[in-house]
Amino acid sequence: MAKRIEDFTVTEKKSLGNDLFTLELSGKNSLSELMPGQFVQVKIEGSPETFLRRPFSIHDVDYAKNTLKLLIQIAGKGTEALSRLSRGDNLNIIYPLGNSFTLPSENTRILLAGGGCGAAPLLFLGKYLKSNGCSPDILMGFRDSSRIIEYEDYRRIGEVYITTEDGLKGEKGFVTDHSVLSEKRYDRIYCCGPDSMMRAMAAYCKKNNVECEVSLENLMACGFGVCLCCITETVKGKLRTCIDGPVFNINDLKW
Ligand SMILES: Cc1cc2nc3c(=O)[nH]c(=O)nc-3n(C[C@H](O)[C@H](O)[C@H](O)COP(=O)(O)OP(=O)(O)OC[C@H]3O[C@@H](n4cnc5c(N)ncnc54)[C@H](O)[C@@H]3O)c2cc1C
Ligand code: FES
């Protein structure tokens, strides 16, 4: 798929509380076809520390409005600069980058499992699956109930299960502690979030013989395969997370 480097305009910025916000972006040209799991590299103007573009998953796409959305957590200088953007500001992005999730055959029982902001690609994936006749369940883990985001958006896709570490909403504990994992049988789990969560879900899937794909967030520089700073060890050798991933089948990872 051809990569494009284009200026986008911020059409909406929405705070979701707790250092999280979404940016809706619209380009002058029609969006190219985007697949769930792909990401963009964003140019952040302003300081030598943010010289390298920053990678963000495609969180949502609206072809009718010609917009794409990013879900961003403030982590450092670059994301802080993005949080100061407002409607009408410009943002230069390279897209679409990376591979995408493998899409299931009909009647596959699917779970989308995610934690916090790392779950960003799952909304686009869920909507894509729904528009292709699947109705996945969704399992989301949050540190506490104040951090629950986009619940209603996921409700429109499928049955939503929640865990919180303080137990005030949903079941207490981590995503992999949720009772739905012992009560229901899934054929395929797509998992995005903190490394420890994806590894725990991978262990569950291996034990229970469930197909599983995870989306890795290795540190990246170029984002398109030339700098080799994003290498992941796999059973197929050292692979570049930015072009051979970020989505990997857990059986290919040396976890
Ligand atoms: C394929 C991919 C998709 C991503 N999707 C999203 C997304 O949808 N939403 C989102 O908020 N973030 C996402 N990230 C992480 C995001 O790119 C980093 O948080 C961001 O680059 C940090 O930039 P910064 O200048 O604010 O912080 P920096 O000053 O660069 O770093 C601040 C802190 O964040 C850590 N950090 C930097 N990059 C990463 C990374 N890739 N993974 C984990 N920790 C990192 C640094 O080690 C440091 O501790 C994604 C990363 C990748 C590789
Ligand atoms: S980020 Fe440069 S090769 Fe992957």
Side-chain angles (χ1 to χ4, degrees):
M1 200 180 291
K3 290 168 197 14
R4 290 156 60 162
I5 172 164
E6 285 180 11
D7 283 332
F8 279 68
T9 304
V10 177
T11 45
E12 184 188 74
K13 190 184 111 194
K14 198 163 148 192
S15 170
L16 303 179
N18 293 305
D19 295 341
L20 285 170
F21 62 98
T22 55
L23 285 181
E24 184 191 68
L25 305 170
S26 174
K28 290 187 192 78
N29 304 314
S30 299
L31 287 173
S32 56
E33 198 199 339
L34 305 170
M35 294 300 292
Q38 291 186 306
F39 65 99
V40 304
Q41 280 273 66
V42 174
K43 185 174 182 186
I44 296 160
E45 309 281 357
S47 96
E49 287 146 306
T50 55
F51 169 72
L52 294 171
R53 286 174 182 262
R54 301 297 199 259
F56 297 99
S57 304
I58 297 170
H59 180 52
D60 201 1
V61 179
D62 187 331
Y63 291 107
K65 280 170 70 185
N66 198 41
T67 57
L68 62 83
K69 210 178 256 186
L70 308 178
L71 168 65
I72 300 175
Q73 177 158 39
I74 298 174
K77 286 234 163 71
T79 43
E80 225 162 59
L82 293 176
S83 75
R84 289 193 295 272
L85 291 175
S86 42
R87 201 173 165 179
D89 285 339
N90 286 333
L91 206 56
N92 184 271
I93 71 173
I94 303 178
Y95 83 107
L97 296 168
N99 66 355
S100 54
F101 292 102
T102 309
L103 298 168
S105 51
E106 266 177 46
N107 301 323
T108 308
R109 292 165 298 182
I110 301 164
L111 179 70
L112 310 183
C117 168
L122 294 183
L123 186 65
F124 181 25
L125 175 62
K127 287 186 176 183
Y128 191 95
L129 291 172
K130 179 134 180 134
S131 66
N132 283 282
C134 300
S135 44
D137 285 352
I138 297 114
L139 171 58
M140 289 286 171
F142 302 94
R143 216 177 306 150
D144 59 67
S145 49
S146 78
R147 301 187 82 89
I148 295 175
I149 54 167
E150 301 181 321
Y151 181 78
E152 289 305 325
D153 294 305
Y154 284 105
R155 277 275 304 265
R156 284 191 274 276
I157 295 168
E159 189 80 42
V160 183
Y161 302 94
I162 299 278
T163 61
T164 50
E165 289 172 42
D166 61 9
L168 290 177
K169 284 259 172 72
E171 292 189 10
K172 185 173 166 54
F174 298 120
V175 160
T176 42
D177 298 326
H178 200 286
S179 55
V180 73
L181 291 173
S182 47
E183 285 161 7
K184 283 192 172 181
R185 165 85 200 157
Y186 294 102
D187 302 310
R188 179 175 279 266
I189 296 180
Y190 298 99
C191 183
C192 306
D195 196 67
S196 53
M197 190 203 92
M198 293 194 289
R199 284 173 186 265
M201 188 56 87
Y204 165 87
C205 288
K206 281 186 179 167
K207 188 170 165 213
N208 293 282
N209 207 16
V210 180
E211 276 289 310
C212 180
E213 287 183 344
V214 294
S215 180
L216 302 186
E217 288 198 2
N218 293 20
L219 288 176
M220 290 185 184
C222 71
F224 44 78
V226 296
C227 72
L228 304 184
C229 84
C230 63
I231 294 297
T232 294
E233 293 275 358
T234 75
V235 295
K236 298 169 181 168
K238 290 180 169 49
L239 295 182
R240 287 164 293 181
T241 307
C242 63
I243 57 169
D244 301 308
V247 177
F248 289 92
N249 188 302
I250 55 163
N251 295 325
D252 290 339
L253 294 172
K254 286 195 171 170
W255 280 5

